[in-house]
Amino acid sequence: MHLPLIHNPRALSFLAPLLLGILLLGTWQGLCVAWKVPTYLVPTPLDILHALFANWRELFGALLVTLKVTALAFLCAVVLGVFVAFLLVQSRLIEISLFPYAVLLQVTPIVAIAPLIIIWVKQPTAALVICSAMVALFPIISNTLLGLRSVNPGLLNLFKLNRATPWQTLLRLRIPSALPYFFGGLRISSGLALIGAIVAEFVAGTGGNGAGLAYQILQAGFQLNIPVMFAALLLIAITGVLLFLSMAALSRLCLRHWHESELS
């Protein structure tokens, strides 16, 4: 028996935002045409699509540069974040001593540190990766540490009664318990890595073949080419959504057979 689409949760989760997006874009297009809003103030969605296709080569090349920085920064944040979380969970003294310094990464604005990093690190890509990784690091540390701490006390006592070694407790109890929290951190961190890459590119202001989307936005702003600015923003937004969906799919793939958060 085939259920109508409106009663199918999976189809509804796709169709509802799609229809809402079409409605909003149609309203945007209609208002701009009806009020004759100049393109240099607010371009219509059709103007943005035209600018996207007309400047596809430059924008796609810039997107690849930004994606490279984002991917490298995200990888660094995951490796370093997991390492730090495993280090912090070893003892309360280590956690109390080091965790405030991890919080510093979260509360310090990257735009304030980025100029220093760009001066200290001569290689532009490495400087951008460091800036972006600093933005993406804290959610990995915080979520993984929370997961490692959120162990069922009954199961922990059971492991102690069976004289399990710390290594066995870590591998068979703490890590499986931490996985849902870890994947939650990945979903947040992937988007922050993209934001960090864009902010770092704005601060660095690098141009030429190694320029990312931030440089395209700056150039379009200087030339008052507003449709190209919106087209670059559209690419950033789509990339952020795809990163989030890919992390959600990875979480579902790893947890769907055993964790209640993905069983439904």
Side-chain angles (χ1 to χ4, degrees):
M1 178 180 179
H2 295 286
L3 293 173
L5 288 179
I6 194 70
H7 296 303
N8 187 328
R10 185 166 296 181
L12 192 62
S13 65
F14 172 75
L15 288 176
L18 179 63
L19 292 176
L20 179 62
I22 293 174
L23 178 64
L24 292 176
L25 289 176
T27 305
W28 180 357
Q29 179 77 27
L31 290 177
C32 286
V33 173
W35 291 347
K36 297 180 181 177
V37 181
T39 305
Y40 60 84
L41 286 181
V42 181
T44 65
L46 290 179
D47 290 332
I48 296 169
L49 280 181
H50 180 264
L52 178 63
F53 289 120
N55 300 275
W56 176 251
R57 179 176 293 181
E58 294 82 5
L59 290 175
F60 185 69
L63 174 64
L64 291 182
V65 173
T66 301
L67 273 180
K68 176 186 172 184
V69 174
T70 302
L72 289 174
F74 183 53
L75 181 63
C76 292
V78 171
V79 173
L80 187 58
V82 171
F83 173 76
V84 172
F86 275 84
L87 179 65
L88 295 180
V89 83
Q90 297 307 311
S91 84
R92 282 290 181 187
L93 180 60
I94 295 176
E95 182 180 347
I96 292 170
S97 303
L98 295 182
F99 195 73
Y101 297 100
V103 176
L104 281 178
L105 293 174
Q106 178 73 5
V107 299
T108 305
I110 190 63
V111 290
I113 306 175
L116 290 174
I117 295 174
I118 290 166
I119 292 172
W120 291 336
V121 182
K122 300 300 181 187
Q123 214 285 330
T125 302
L128 297 179
V129 169
I130 291 172
C131 293
S132 178
M134 288 179 67
V135 177
L137 181 59
F138 185 76
I140 301 290
I141 296 175
S142 177
N143 280 37
T144 307
L145 182 62
L146 178 63
L148 291 171
R149 291 280 185 214
S150 302
V151 178
N152 188 313
L155 291 175
L156 192 59
N157 289 332
L158 180 65
F159 271 66
K160 288 179 181 176
L161 284 174
N162 287 280
R163 298 180 180 177
T165 64
W167 184 247
Q168 288 173 326
T169 305
L170 179 68
L171 282 182
R172 298 183 181 181
L173 181 60
R174 290 194 183 277
I175 290 179
S177 299
L179 280 180
Y181 298 87
F182 170 69
F183 285 117
L186 290 187
R187 286 196 286 269
I188 301 171
S189 179
S190 59
L192 289 178
L194 177 63
I195 294 172
I198 298 292
V199 172
E201 287 175 358
F202 267 119
V203 175
T206 52
N209 294 329
L213 284 174
Y215 177 74
Q216 296 296 329
I217 293 174
L218 287 174
Q219 283 292 97
F222 293 145
Q223 299 167 1
L224 284 181
N225 197 344
I226 307 303
V228 173
M229 290 182 68
F230 272 84
L233 290 173
L234 177 65
L235 285 181
I236 293 172
I238 292 174
T239 304
V241 171
L242 290 178
L243 285 173
F244 180 87
L245 291 178
S246 61
M247 292 302 109
L250 179 63
S251 172
R252 191 160 47 249
L253 182 67
C254 296
L255 303 177
R256 62 181 177 180
H257 294 301
W258 62 276
H259 197 267
E260 57 270 17
S261 63
E262 299 292 348
L263 286 177
S264 58

